[in-house]
């Protein structure tokens, strides 16, 4: 356990690292205690001392600290940020919680977050990493690599296995952790096992996260996990919960670009409708290539309806066959895209796909499920649904299938959403993109 030893002129207390973590958070942001260089002791403990003439505020809090996750290594130190010229124009630090933090997707994502690539070069961040008992060693390994990367914007890292501790004050929660479907496991079992995890994480967010936390659920089955999470977090607006379908949108854009022989930045207005599963509907009806409707550029409509659609629906599985595991790097890129779509204004006339709570949608899709739809954002973290889209008979039929699947998944997890007794009547062909 990390211990900080303060110079007597600042405080006479030997602090448990969680107390230190508490102190660092309870001081005004851009902290006031400055520390002399750190020494690691033989036992892996950390000791640091305060230069007396730099102390600005009393550092001792007399009340019992709230339970906090463990701050990690060098991130347990605090510095006088006002002395650092480059920090003067920084924004207020934001807290980002990541579950499944010792996994492959997180391993790509965390370093993007810490580098400033996601939230910008003037946005300091705190990373709150949630793992499991089984993964705690690996999580320490992740934290060590973050230490060694010397990211200027990464001001705090804490690790833990209790979501009630790790999600404290989280302003973003990127929920990646989920159990994969094992051999012989029924889909209903998968829904239940992961649903239990997401119910607990929803309750934890409800109890300790920022009231305006934005939640992106990545762990599969992500739409229904997001639904369970939001139902267990009644004090957080339902519209703040997202299921990640941006990877599917990116996959669809790539396939359309390939077919049209253009670079993929020419493809816009791609919607993924519905579930992140093999029933998802990649919408070529409203999509554009170089500003023109896709159907005017790609004349092979049979290809669009059949090959294109299936390729996108099953891309996850095709990748698993190559890699022997689920996509990780491209998933992390799509999480970055999903976040950036919410914090930057959507380019005029375009939109992005994300799975959101369907209640109040203008498309006639059933209420009370998490359904991927076209959205636009002003860049304030919020979004609005795009109204001016065409839903023709082809789309309507396909959307009905993915909607029916999500309604069946919802019935199957009723015990986790507070909606009564679960009845699992899942369609036989219900599959994640990776299950083929
Ligand atoms: C993907 O789309 O790549 C993943 O969701 C696949 C999976 O089932 O893990």
């Amino acid at each position: 356990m990390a211990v900080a030893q303060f110079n007597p002129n600042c405080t006479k207390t030997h602090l448990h690292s969680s107390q230190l973590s508490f102190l660092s958070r309870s001081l005004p942001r851009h902290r006031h205690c400055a520390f002399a260089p750190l020494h690691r002791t033989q036992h892996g403990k950390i000791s640091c001392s305060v230069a007396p003439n730099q102390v600005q505020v009393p550092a001792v809090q007399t009340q019992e600290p709230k339970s906090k996750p463990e701050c990690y290594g060098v991130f347990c130190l605090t510095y006088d940020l006002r002395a650092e010229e480059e920090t003067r124009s920084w924004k207020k630090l934001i807290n980002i919680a990541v579950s499944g933090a010792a996994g492959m997707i997180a391993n790509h994502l965390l370093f993007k977050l810490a580098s400033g690539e996601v939230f910008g070069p003037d946005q300091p961040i705190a990373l709150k990493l949630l793992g499991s008992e089984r993964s705690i060693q690996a999580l320490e390994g992740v934290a060590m690599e973050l230490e060694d990367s010397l990211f200027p914007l990464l001001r705090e890292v804490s690790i833990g296995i209790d979501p009630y501790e790790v999600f404290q004050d989280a302003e973003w929660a990127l929920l990646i952790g989920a159990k994969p479907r094992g051999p012989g496991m029924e889909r209903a079992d998968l829904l239940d096992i992961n649903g239990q995890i997401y119910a607990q994480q929803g309750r934890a967010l409800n109890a300790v996260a920022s009231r305006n936390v934005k939640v992106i659920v990545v762990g599969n089955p992500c739409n229904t996990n997001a639904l369970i999470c939001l139902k267990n977090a009644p004090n957080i607006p339902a519209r703040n919960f997202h299921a990640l379908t941006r990877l599917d949108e990116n996959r669809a854009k790539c396939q359309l670009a390939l077919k049209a022989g253009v670079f993929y930045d020419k493809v816009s207005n791609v919607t993924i409708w519905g579930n992140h599963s093999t029933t998802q509907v990649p919408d070529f009806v409203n999509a554009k290539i170089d500003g023109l409707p896709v159907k005017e550029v790609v004349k092979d409509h049979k290809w669009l309806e059949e090959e294109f659609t299936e390729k996108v629906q099953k891309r996850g599985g095709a990748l698993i066959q190559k890699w022997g595991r689920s996509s990780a790097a491209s998933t992390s890129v799509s999480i970055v895209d999903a976040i950036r779509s919410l914090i930057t204004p959507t380019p005029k006339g375009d939109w992005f796909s994300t799975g959101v709570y369907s209640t109040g949608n203008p498309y006639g899709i059933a209420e009370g499920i998490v359904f991927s739809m076209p959205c636009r954002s002003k860049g304030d973290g919020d979004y609005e649904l795009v109204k001016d889209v065409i839903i023709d008979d082809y789309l309507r039929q396909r959307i009905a299938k993915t909607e029916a699947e999500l309604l069946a998944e919802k019935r199957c997890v009723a015990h986790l959403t507070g909606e009564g007794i679960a009845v699992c009547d899942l369609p036989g062909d219900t599959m994640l993109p990776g299950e083929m």
Side-chain angles (χ1 to χ4, degrees), residues 260-276:
V262 298
F263 198 59
Y264 33 66
D265 64 349
K266 296 280 182 283
V267 186
S268 64
N269 302 81
V270 173
T271 306
I272 299 295
W273 295 96
N275 203 0
H276 175 66

Side-chain angles (χ1 to χ4, degrees), residues 359-370:
T359 297
N361 78 84
Y363 318 110
I365 291 160
E367 311 234 311
I369 49 181
V370 172

Side-chain angles (χ1 to χ4, degrees), residues 178-194 219-221 277-278 320 326 405 409 426-436:
K179 282 220 159 45
R181 183 166 170 176
M185 191 192 280
E186 293 295 325
R187 188 175 169 85
D189 297 336
L190 182 75
L191 277 165
D192 185 55
I193 290 171
N194 284 325
N220 280 320
S277 78
T278 52
I320 289 174
S326 288
E405 181 177 80
E409 287 189 15
L426 296 167
D429 59 351
T430 292
M431 284 195 290
L432 295 171
E435 296 173 324
M436 295 200 313

Side-chain angles (χ1 to χ4, degrees), residues 175-178 194 198 216-223 225-226:
L175 305 183
I176 302 171
N194 284 325
Y198 280 85
I216 299 183
V217 176
V218 180
N220 280 320
C222 63
N223 295 56
N225 287 342

Side-chain angles (χ1 to χ4, degrees), residues 51-66:
N53 58 357
Q54 291 175 296
V55 174
Q56 307 287 329
V57 293
V60 176
Q61 301 282 324
T62 48
Q63 77 268 36
E64 272 299 298
K66 280 189 271 179

Side-chain angles (χ1 to χ4, degrees), residues 218 220 247-248 251 276 315-317 319-320 326-327 330-331 432-435:
V218 180
N220 280 320
L247 178 57
D248 306 298
R251 289 168 171 170
H276 175 66
R315 181 74 163 181
L319 262 154
I320 289 174
S326 288
S327 57
S330 56
T331 304
L432 295 171
E435 296 173 324

